[in-house]
Amino acid sequence: MLELKKGIDILAEIGGIKTADAAHKLFAARCDAETLARLSKITNQEALLKIANSISMMNPDAVFVNTGSEADLQWVREYSLAKGEEKSLPMPGHTVHFDLPAEQGRVVDKTLYIVNPGEEVSVLARSILRDEAFEYVKKFMVDIAKGKTLMIGFFNRGPVGAQAAIPAVEITTSSYVMHSANILYRNVYAQFDQEAARAGTFFTNVHSEGTNRPEDFPNMRVFMDRSWLTTFSMLCTYAGNTLLLKKGNHRFAVDLSTYYRRESELSEHMFITGMTGPGGRKTYFAGAAPSGCGKTTTAMVGSDFIGDDLAQIWIAADGTMRAVNPEIGIFGIVQDMNRESDPYLMKALREPGAEVIWSNVLITEDGTPRWVGDGDPPPTRGINYTGEWWEGKLDENGKPIPMSNPNARCTLSNMHIENYNATVAQDPAGVPISVVTYSGRDSDTMPPVWVAKNPDHGVVIGASIFSAATATEVGAKGVRPQPWANEPFIPGPLADYMEAQFVFFNSPKLTHKPVIAGLNYFLTHGARGGEGNKLLGEKRDVKVWLGWLELYAHGDVSAIETPIGYIPRYEDLRKLFAGINKEYPKSLYDKQFSFYVDNILARIARLEEVYRNEKNVLPRLFEVYAEQRQGLEALKAKYGSIVSVEQLIEAASN
Ligand code: SPV
Ligand code: MN
């Protein structure tokens, strides 16, 4: 269980402002007339105390309230250039920002949940006791804003009025962070009070980059106070560590869904997109994938793109599963993104019209952002996050530095993406989700697509994602379980989250049960009897996997039953591939959909071991694994370790 407002409120304790009166006195002493007038429109007392205590603690020279007006947006852009956090590029509206070489992703070992004594967090998460966090914040955040302007923004994580939308206050000295927030989130300065009242809560994020020197970077921390729904971030700049409206608040949303809104809501690391099926029908998908595993690309494949990273989900009165995107923009990885793989995104990035913040890419002499795999002949020099870069430049370990960091990103509004359906994305009613997908970076085990037999098996697909580390997490290595692709953002014990999933998907209120499926784009030739790490599939195949699920969700195709779920028939896929002008040889289908039973069994065994080490995991999970193992062992006994699709069909008919 998670208890809100338990233990000392670190921000209030350090800031020392405990009453509305004291807050107003502080504002009067520290803010100019315009800022005072702006703050006077906010009446939520708790929010005003958070703001007052942040000012008191961080001690800025000036305070700026961001109302979201065009003038304010422009102020932030200009401040960022003046401050040097961003530099402008020749393409109008484009800027570049660099993070320190040591901070090219989320710094996992310095990202900690603040906990009260005796409180449990996920075995996969790190935590710090409240008292220690209090001392740390006091040491590093008091006076951290001296000489700087503290910016305050009011945002909503979802369309105004949507059931699962939760507002948040962003308090930061970083113009890059506020600029990013302006692109990625809905400013609700004018509706903040109303939204906080509707949601019954709001999140607070307090950040300062401080000196932003490499020598101070070891002291950087991201603290998330689960009890007070407040984040503290210091001495860092990478958006994943600083723009805590994103993953910091996503973590709080996961907590609220798990402990306070069970059965009615979920907060997921999922894209949301619509596919247009036969007769023009729209079928909406929500899909999870770990960072750096093709989530943005998958989302873009839809005809009605809504979001590429996060989903706030609930069961509506009509019995459908509904989802809204808490964001309105993309903070997307650019590596291997090119006109062939991501045409809509490339158009928005390479043609004038969009406001774009590039980060950790290479900037050539003529001011063009470049990255590994962008489809053009690579340049030989430029400026990147290590400063001057030339082909063959080595790092301190003698390893070549790539021109762009593998976690280099672009930040832009969804409005510039051709297939973004803004009307639907802004609808507080959300979209009805018919298909839920889970995927990971799995080179040798699972087929490209398979469908769960029932909600319990679906929850187990989510629980069973295995994925290779990517550059989004600093220092992460190896293949590891990444349950629901949400594991880095699940604060409490995994068993609690898992139970909330079982309860949600089996809820009698959810009368329109979504299809739940697994996806895997990363099978290699080497794992299927060929040679090397080359992938069997291509990015454009994603359209076929989603297209097949679209048909399946409407009962327009049948499927082959296997112990792990249903898989597509060759003929149906061949037709869908023809639709993207690609031949789909039966030999490729056989490679992709034959079962390498030993791999699947080994995977189940490893997952069982992981979950046996978690307390209070529902027996249902182990029952599903046991059922799948039994089926797979029977297949193996009859056909051997590699089972062809023909054999799967034969086994299913017996
Ligand atoms: C991810 O890593 O999943 C992201 C970027 O979406 S970050 O903000 O770093 O979380
Ligand atoms: Mn993400």
Side-chain angles (χ1 to χ4, degrees):
M1 200 52 212
L2 168 73
E3 255 185 87
L4 295 175
K5 302 201 171 174
K6 187 179 174 192
I8 55 162
D9 175 350
I10 292 174
L11 184 57
E13 212 52 41
I14 300 176
I17 309 288
K18 304 269 168 80
T19 64
D21 221 34
H24 286 115
K25 279 206 184 97
L26 176 115
F27 293 147
R30 305 293 300 267
C31 302
D32 62 19
E34 174 62 25
T35 303
L36 271 179
R38 290 177 177 198
L39 283 173
S40 72
K41 299 266 173 23
I42 302 290
T43 61
N44 185 302
Q45 292 300 307
E46 268 186 61
L48 289 171
L49 284 173
K50 294 278 189 193
I51 295 165
N53 279 307
S54 300
I55 297 172
S56 171
M57 174 174 81
M58 298 162 87
N59 200 12
D61 285 12
V63 180
F64 172 80
V65 172
N66 173 12
T67 66
S69 68
E70 187 43 50
D72 285 2
L73 301 182
Q74 188 57 22
W75 187 92
V76 174
R77 290 180 194 118
E78 284 169 15
Y79 182 48
S80 211
L81 297 175
K83 206 165 168 243
E85 287 190 58
E86 293 169 53
K87 292 205 167 30
S88 68
L89 296 172
M91 183 84 84
H94 285 216
T95 60
V96 64
H97 162 86
F98 291 111
D99 301 294
L100 292 173
E103 201 201 351
Q104 294 289 308
R106 277 187 274 111
V107 183
V108 180
D109 64 347
K110 290 176 176 167
T111 298
L112 312 169
Y113 294 104
I114 298 175
V115 294
N116 297 307
E119 232 165 51
E120 277 185 89
V121 300
S122 158
V123 289
L124 302 168
R126 293 164 176 79
S127 62
I128 179 168
L129 280 169
R130 181 167 301 280
D131 288 352
E132 288 170 38
F134 169 78
E135 292 301 335
Y136 201 94
V137 173
K138 204 159 102 177
K139 181 164 173 197
F140 288 101
M141 290 197 95
V142 166
D143 291 342
I144 196 170
K146 255 191 181 161
K148 298 174 194 267
T149 295
L150 189 63
M151 288 161 276
I152 297 159
F154 302 85
F155 297 93
N156 213 28
R157 296 181 85 262
V160 168
Q163 170 168 333
I166 300 171
V169 187
E170 182 70 47
I171 302 171
T172 180
T173 57
S174 166
S175 50
Y176 163 66
V177 169
M178 191 55 83
H179 188 187
S180 301
N182 283 341
I183 294 174
L184 296 176
Y185 294 90
R186 299 161 175 92
N187 188 305
V188 286
Y189 166 73
Q191 302 109 320
F192 180 80
D193 287 334
Q194 158 205 330
E195 280 300 281
R198 181 194 52 74
T201 191
F202 66 91
F203 304 138
T204 305
N205 303 295
V206 189
H207 165 256
S208 179
E209 74 284 10
T211 49
N212 191 29
R213 296 181 307 183
E215 56 268 44
D216 300 320
F217 182 70
N219 295 323
M220 76 76 77
R221 290 292 184 280
V222 178
F223 291 147
M224 292 155 301
D225 191 339
R226 299 173 68 196
S227 301
W228 293 91
L229 303 179
T230 298
T231 68
F232 301 90
S233 164
M234 61 211 92
L235 303 170
C236 49
T237 64
Y238 171 67
N241 300 320
T242 58
L243 180 63
L244 292 170
L245 272 164
K246 197 175 180 66
K247 293 304 185 354
N249 292 169
H250 174 58
R251 291 166 165 113
F252 294 153
V254 169
D255 260 344
L256 293 183
S257 297
T258 305
Y259 297 103
Y260 289 89
R261 301 172 175 195
R262 235 156 84 122
E263 192 174 345
S264 59
E265 290 188 20
L266 295 178
S267 300
E268 298 299 312
H269 192 210
M270 285 181 172
F271 68 80
I272 307 170
T273 201
M275 293 290 289
T276 303
R281 72 184 172 212
K282 301 279 184 201
T283 306
Y284 288 97
F285 286 57
S291 308
C293 294
K295 197 150 45 65
T296 301
T297 302
T298 310
M300 295 287 161
V301 161
S303 52
D304 296 72
F305 165 62
I306 293 178
D308 81 323
D309 195 38
L310 297 169
Q312 285 289 98
I313 295 169
W314 71 99
I315 301 176
D318 64 0
T320 57
M321 172 177 168
R322 299 255 161 186
V324 292
N325 179 5
E327 309 188 289
I328 50 168
I330 293 173
F331 177 55
I333 296 177
V334 292
Q335 182 144 318
D336 294 327
M337 187 171 45
N338 49 62
R339 286 196 190 266
E340 202 187 306
S341 68
D342 299 82
Y344 293 125
L345 207 41
M346 285 300 284
K347 192 158 183 272
L349 293 171
R350 285 297 193 212
E351 289 169 25
E355 177 177 18
V356 181
I357 310 176
W358 298 90
S359 54
N360 307 319
V361 291
L362 180 92
I363 304 296
T364 60
E365 210 169 39
D366 68 358
T368 308
R370 299 293 313 271
W371 58 91
V372 174
D374 63 8
D376 289 327
T380 53
R381 44 194 335 110
I383 304 284
N384 77 1
Y385 67 98
T386 65
E388 194 88 42
W389 177 87
W390 57 92
E391 201 188 316
K393 183 177 181 183
L394 303 178
D395 67 12
E396 67 276 10
N397 302 317
K399 274 196 23 204
I401 299 171
M403 68 162 140
S404 60
N405 187 272
N407 194 36
R409 302 246 174 187
C410 57
T411 301
L412 75 165
S413 159
N414 289 338
M415 291 304 286
H416 302 293
I417 308 294
E418 220 167 86
N419 60 339
Y420 181 56
N421 188 332
T423 314
V424 173
Q426 291 295 13
D427 188 345
V431 291
I433 300 296
S434 307
V435 182
V436 173
T437 67
Y438 296 98
S439 54
R441 202 171 265 273
D442 160 9
S443 64
D444 61 9
T445 305
M446 301 307 273
V449 59
W450 73 104
V451 172
K453 293 181 183 183
N454 58 40
D456 282 346
H457 279 248
V459 171
V460 173
I461 292 179
S464 308
I465 296 178
F466 255 99
S467 202
T470 65
T472 300
E473 294 182 334
V474 173
K477 282 197 189 73
V479 177
R480 68 170 204 263
Q482 299 218 39
W484 296 277
N486 209 8
E487 155 271 320
F489 317 112
I490 300 172
L494 275 181
D496 294 351
Y497 178 91
M498 187 186 304
E499 187 169 351
Q501 297 280 325
F502 276 121
V503 169
F504 183 94
F505 285 107
N506 283 301
S507 171
K509 290 188 254 169
L510 186 62
T511 51
H512 294 66
K513 296 261 187 280
V515 165
I516 306 180
L519 289 172
N520 180 25
Y521 312 147
F522 296 94
L523 277 180
T524 62
H525 282 274
R528 289 294 178 268
E531 296 271 308
N533 292 332
K534 196 171 169 303
L535 298 183
L536 287 170
E538 300 177 291
K539 273 193 180 183
R540 62 186 173 133
D541 303 353
V542 173
K543 200 163 199 151
V544 169
W545 312 133
L546 299 192
W548 182 79
L549 286 168
E550 200 280 335
L551 296 173
Y552 182 86
H554 291 275
D556 293 348
V557 284
S558 64
I560 302 159
E561 187 176 353
T562 81
I564 59 163
Y566 299 102
I567 60 170
R569 293 182 190 281
Y570 171 66
E571 206 35 47
D572 295 322
L573 292 180
R574 197 191 55 77
K575 279 187 223 150
L576 286 159
F577 271 103
I580 62 163
N581 298 318
K582 184 170 163 175
E583 237 188 275
Y584 186 56
K586 174 72 166 45
S587 57
L588 178 55
Y589 171 79
D590 287 338
K591 282 189 184 134
Q592 291 179 318
F593 289 95
S594 296
F595 277 21
Y596 281 55
V597 178
D598 289 334
N599 291 2
I600 309 178
L601 285 170
R603 175 196 193 83
I604 291 175
R606 230 185 116 188
L607 286 159
E608 284 173 326
E609 191 189 313
V610 168
Y611 284 116
R612 246 185 260 116
N613 290 327
E614 282 276 337
K615 273 183 263 173
N616 305 320
V617 171
L618 285 186
R620 191 68 196 118
L621 174 89
F622 297 107
E623 287 161 20
V624 171
Y625 284 144
E627 198 186 303
Q628 295 188 349
R629 176 186 307 102
Q630 219 176 14
L632 291 163
E633 277 171 352
L635 281 177
K636 186 176 165 179
K638 189 151 180 206
Y639 302 108
S641 296
I642 304 173
V643 182
S644 70
V645 180
E646 281 68 29
Q647 291 168 332
L648 289 170
I649 294 171
E650 182 187 284
S653 66
N654 289 333

